[in-house]
Amino acid sequence: MRSLYCAEVNSAHVSEQVTLCGWVNRRRDLGGLIFIDLRDRSGIVQVVFEPDNHDLHAKASTLRGEYCIKVVGSVKARPADQVNSKMATGEIEVYATDLTIFNKSAPLPIDFNQDNTEEQRLRYRYLDLRRPEMVHKMTVRAYITRYVRHFLDAHGFLDIETPMLTKATPEGARDYLVPSRIHHGKFYALPQSPQLFKQLLMIAGYDRYYQIVKCFRDEDLRADRQPEFTQIDVETSFMTSQDVRDIMEEMMVGLFKEVAGYDLGKLPVMRYDEAMERFGSDKPDLRISYELHTLCDAVRNSEFKVLSAPANDPDSRVVGFAVPGGAAMTRREIDGYTDFVKKLGASGLIWIKVNDLEKGAEGLHSSIAKHVTPDELISLVTMANGKSGDIVFIGAGKHNKISTVMGALRLQTAKDKGLVADGYKALWVIDFPMFEMTEEAGLTAMHHPFTAPSGVTPEELIANPMSVYADAYDLVINGYESGGGSVRIYDENMQQAVFKVLGITDSEAREKFGFLLDALSFGAPPHAGLAFGLDRVTMLLTGTDNIRDVIAFPKTTAAACLMTQAPNVASPDALKELAIAITDMEQ
């Protein structure tokens, strides 16, 4: 039906006849000539209707925005003074000789030329997806998947599908359950990840597997989460964690060069404990130049107990950082940051404005100047790497809590003050704790219960689980966990030891994971893997901070589809067939 996409028409086609299809992006009637900006997913080309052809001109005069049309015409070069350098097709225009109107458009509920609310965009997503910026995001997403498939195919990986209807397994979030019509009272679960199946594929001998796969988690949502999301899922046999990181790093470095023209370089590697100490996060954003510093030595002997008490408590920490140029902050801004840390659980925020460090304590202005000595004040500033013109923020409290709070404050101040550098910064974070405490004072796996511990026997794991590190690794880009993985447990005794630490009894383990435990007893190989969040990677490469922008038909933060009105109420007959009764209906 078409001979070219709109953006493909160029000066090489001058004097040729072309057939184009698309939507009216804009119409301008100059009294004589009618100009139409015709748009398809490739871009825009200008079409001209001349008044000499009365019937065609009259038909063109009825065109309005988003009419779906076909145009046949001759390509002509624009006069030199009319070339539009802002358009890919700005050197030419198409003089129409025929026009077909496939469909008219009702008045649009969204405006392509201004910002629309997210509710409008999601309710009329099929219109929102026509916008050039959305076309760009979807095109980049398609390119990413194509690049990944090509890379993994070239490195000997096999694309193998795993089931969507499976058995519920504990992987850190609630499952989406699907009732069985045939087996009343029983349910399938939609997979949170293909974790167990890809391990079974390794046991089956398929030593390099990948899949670009939908996953489902019924969890509270935010800007970088969706109830259904897409993973680039990878598993390997006979490869160490370093081997896996090397090949995945090669893929991601190549991807960023291809899509963004940006060289990530050789990625640094940082242990979890160091990341928490320096950045207060296991997802450090290295684009921000300043980091956290331990300030305990500056106030260990201070009479100011607010600082000296945590400085002398091995489970606590006095921590601070200097915001470049922050001495210009107003008291209102500082109070806002104080409220910010209090909402995160800190008792308060100490600040020191470094007006002129060369003047010593006289060049400092602080909320605690009356409570500490001049030497202590200067030591706090210098240990926090403060310079003249900076402000130093200080917090004190239990180690993990205050580190996390101050890490969040570091990110917030950098965003507010425009101190986040352009480009991309990536790193590997490794050696995560194997377990962490739950709110109920029990233990849970920091990654998942199939992650291998580093350098311990099953007996040592059971005896002192909180001292054990996992052979796990995350790829962090610009403060986002873009991918994560681990070496898997391939020894049945070690897997049972992990279950024991997690409070999973032998009978529970057999009931939930019997098929995996059985498989591990049949010559299971050492194996390791990793999964990238395709949505997050696309989000980073398209410059947005919301994964809903890079998913064609996303859900809201309430896990609803405004366009289709899903989820909806099932009919009584459907519920009866599934042997399900609704006892608590939302009004």
Side-chain angles (χ1 to χ4, degrees):
M1 187 176 289
R2 58 155 64 100
S3 61
L4 290 170
Y5 280 98
C6 291
E8 293 176 343
V9 186
N10 57 49
S11 56
H13 300 103
V14 169
S15 300
E16 292 183 10
Q17 180 174 286
V18 295
T19 303
L20 307 173
C21 297
W23 288 264
V24 176
N25 191 69
R26 190 169 63 136
R27 170 185 170 275
R28 286 162 291 147
D29 189 339
L30 302 185
L33 298 175
I34 294 175
F35 294 91
I36 295 295
D37 286 346
L38 183 63
R39 186 195 72 245
D40 60 20
R41 71 178 175 92
S42 71
I44 292 174
V45 67
Q46 180 168 281
V47 179
V48 183
F49 294 87
E50 296 178 290
D52 296 346
N53 188 332
H54 299 292
D55 291 343
L56 182 62
H57 189 268
K59 195 173 185 181
S61 68
T62 68
L63 296 176
R64 296 295 183 269
E66 297 308 303
Y67 276 32
C68 185
I69 65 175
K70 179 177 76 172
V71 171
V72 179
S74 177
V75 180
K76 294 185 179 182
R78 292 194 190 189
D81 61 345
Q82 294 179 22
V83 169
N84 186 347
S85 60
K86 296 180 180 179
M87 290 176 61
T89 58
E91 294 183 348
I92 56 88
E93 50 197 357
V94 177
Y95 278 71
T97 56
D98 188 49
L99 169 65
T100 302
I101 300 176
F102 292 126
N103 245 318
K104 298 179 180 180
S105 174
L108 295 180
I110 63 176
D111 190 334
F112 283 16
N113 298 312
Q114 65 182 31
D115 291 336
N116 301 281
T117 67
E118 188 171 49
E119 181 177 349
Q120 288 173 301
R121 292 178 58 205
L122 295 182
R123 187 175 299 278
Y124 300 99
R125 188 62 161 184
Y126 44 86
L127 295 178
D128 185 51
L129 286 170
R130 290 183 188 175
R131 297 188 301 118
E133 51 265 49
M134 290 302 297
V135 172
H136 170 70
K137 291 180 174 66
M138 293 300 109
T139 302
V140 171
R141 184 184 177 109
Y143 187 91
I144 291 169
T145 59
R146 187 164 63 247
Y147 178 92
V148 166
R149 289 187 187 280
H150 178 77
F151 179 93
L152 293 173
D153 289 343
H155 285 75
F157 286 81
L158 295 177
D159 183 359
I160 305 176
E161 293 182 346
T162 53
M164 284 288 114
L165 297 175
T166 183
K167 187 177 183 179
T169 57
E171 294 188 44
R174 289 180 293 272
D175 289 306
Y176 279 101
L177 299 178
V178 180
S180 171
R181 178 184 60 82
I182 298 171
H183 306 282
H184 284 178
K186 295 184 178 182
F187 297 81
Y188 301 101
L190 299 180
Q192 295 185 33
S193 78
Q195 183 61 49
L196 298 183
F197 287 103
K198 64 182 182 179
Q199 289 192 247
L200 292 173
L201 285 170
M202 295 304 102
I203 295 170
Y206 296 88
D207 61 307
R208 292 194 177 193
Y209 140 96
Y210 83 93
Q211 186 181 185
I212 298 178
V213 59
K214 280 286 187 183
C215 301
F216 307 85
R217 294 183 184 178
D218 185 7
E219 59 186 350
D220 295 333
L221 306 182
R222 59 191 186 204
D224 63 341
R225 281 184 180 171
Q226 279 280 289
E228 51 180 322
F229 56 96
T230 306
Q231 281 188 181
I232 302 168
D233 203 47
V234 176
E235 197 76 8
T236 68
S237 295
F238 309 113
M239 293 181 74
T240 65
S241 56
Q242 183 67 59
D243 294 333
V244 173
R245 294 204 309 269
D246 285 345
I247 195 168
M248 292 297 100
E249 180 173 323
E250 180 185 348
M251 183 177 78
M252 294 304 289
V253 169
L255 176 64
F256 273 71
K257 281 183 181 178
E258 284 288 322
V259 175
Y262 194 93
D263 188 358
L264 294 173
K266 179 63 179 175
L267 304 190
V269 179
M270 187 179 299
R271 298 187 71 247
Y272 170 89
D273 290 343
E274 181 185 353
M276 294 301 297
E277 190 81 8
R278 293 174 56 190
F279 303 101
S281 172
D282 59 0
K283 300 180 285 292
D285 191 338
L286 301 186
R287 295 173 299 166
I288 302 169
S289 63
Y290 52 97
E291 57 189 67
L292 309 186
H293 300 273
T294 299
L295 311 179
C296 294
D297 289 346
V299 290
R300 214 177 290 278
N301 299 316
S302 176
E303 294 184 3
F304 187 43
K305 299 302 181 185
V306 171
L307 293 181
S308 60
N312 288 285
D313 179 0
D315 294 326
S316 298
R317 185 186 188 197
V318 179
V319 58
F321 60 85
V323 181
M329 284 187 195
T330 65
R331 185 56 186 266
R332 183 175 181 179
E333 288 179 290
I334 296 171
D335 289 345
Y337 289 130
T338 302
D339 292 339
F340 176 84
V341 298
K342 285 182 176 179
K343 289 177 182 178
L344 295 177
S347 58
L349 182 65
I350 294 168
W351 53 270
I352 306 172
K353 284 190 174 185
V354 189
N355 296 318
D356 189 348
L357 192 55
E358 291 185 2
K359 293 182 179 179
E362 292 183 2
L364 307 178
H365 177 51
S366 175
S367 58
I368 59 167
K370 296 180 180 179
H371 304 287
V372 298
T373 68
D375 287 344
E376 290 168 349
L377 204 61
I378 292 171
S379 293
L380 287 168
V381 170
T382 55
M383 292 182 69
N385 202 31
K387 306 286 192 304
S388 293
D390 296 350
I391 189 170
V392 174
F393 284 129
I394 300 169
K398 292 299 181 182
H399 195 286
N400 288 342
K401 183 68 175 180
I402 198 61
S403 295
T404 300
V405 169
M406 295 301 285
L409 181 62
R410 168 183 175 267
L411 291 175
Q412 192 62 48
T413 56
K415 290 176 182 176
D416 291 346
K417 298 302 175 183
L419 297 172
V420 181
D422 294 333
Y424 299 97
K425 291 288 186 181
L427 76 156
W428 291 103
V429 178
I430 65 170
D431 293 344
F432 288 81
M434 183 75 181
F435 304 103
E436 56 186 345
M437 297 292 295
T438 65
E439 292 181 359
E440 296 77 24
L443 292 182
T444 186
M446 181 167 275
H447 275 69
H448 55 66
F450 315 107
T451 298
S454 293
V456 295
T457 64
E459 294 74 22
E460 291 169 336
L461 179 82
I462 293 171
N464 195 6
M466 290 302 289
S467 68
V468 178
Y469 288 91
D471 197 352
Y473 33 85
D474 282 356
L475 178 65
V476 178
I477 305 175
N478 289 6
Y480 288 96
E481 178 194 332
S482 302
S486 67
V487 172
R488 321 302 188 188
I489 297 170
Y490 63 94
D491 175 75
E492 184 179 2
N493 293 328
M494 182 63 78
Q495 187 66 75
Q496 289 174 335
V498 170
F499 288 157
K500 184 173 183 178
V501 170
L502 295 175
I504 300 173
T505 66
D506 291 343
S507 59
E508 288 176 324
R510 176 54 55 181
E511 192 274 329
K512 293 178 179 177
F513 311 110
F515 60 96
L516 176 64
L517 296 176
D518 287 342
L520 290 173
S521 69
F522 294 108
H527 54 286
L530 183 145
F532 292 104
L534 174 61
D535 309 306
R536 287 187 184 177
V537 172
T538 308
M539 181 182 78
L540 288 165
L541 282 168
T542 55
T544 182
D545 59 1
N546 190 329
I547 63 170
R548 289 191 289 276
D549 286 342
V550 298
I551 298 172
F553 299 101
K555 305 292 189 295
T556 67
T557 53
C561 176
L562 298 180
M563 184 181 67
T564 63
Q565 300 299 305
N568 62 341
V569 177
S571 70
D573 288 344
L575 293 174
K576 183 178 180 180
E577 196 170 22
L578 294 168
I580 290 177
I582 304 297
T583 60
D584 182 15
M585 177 70 75
E586 287 185 1
Q587 299 300 319

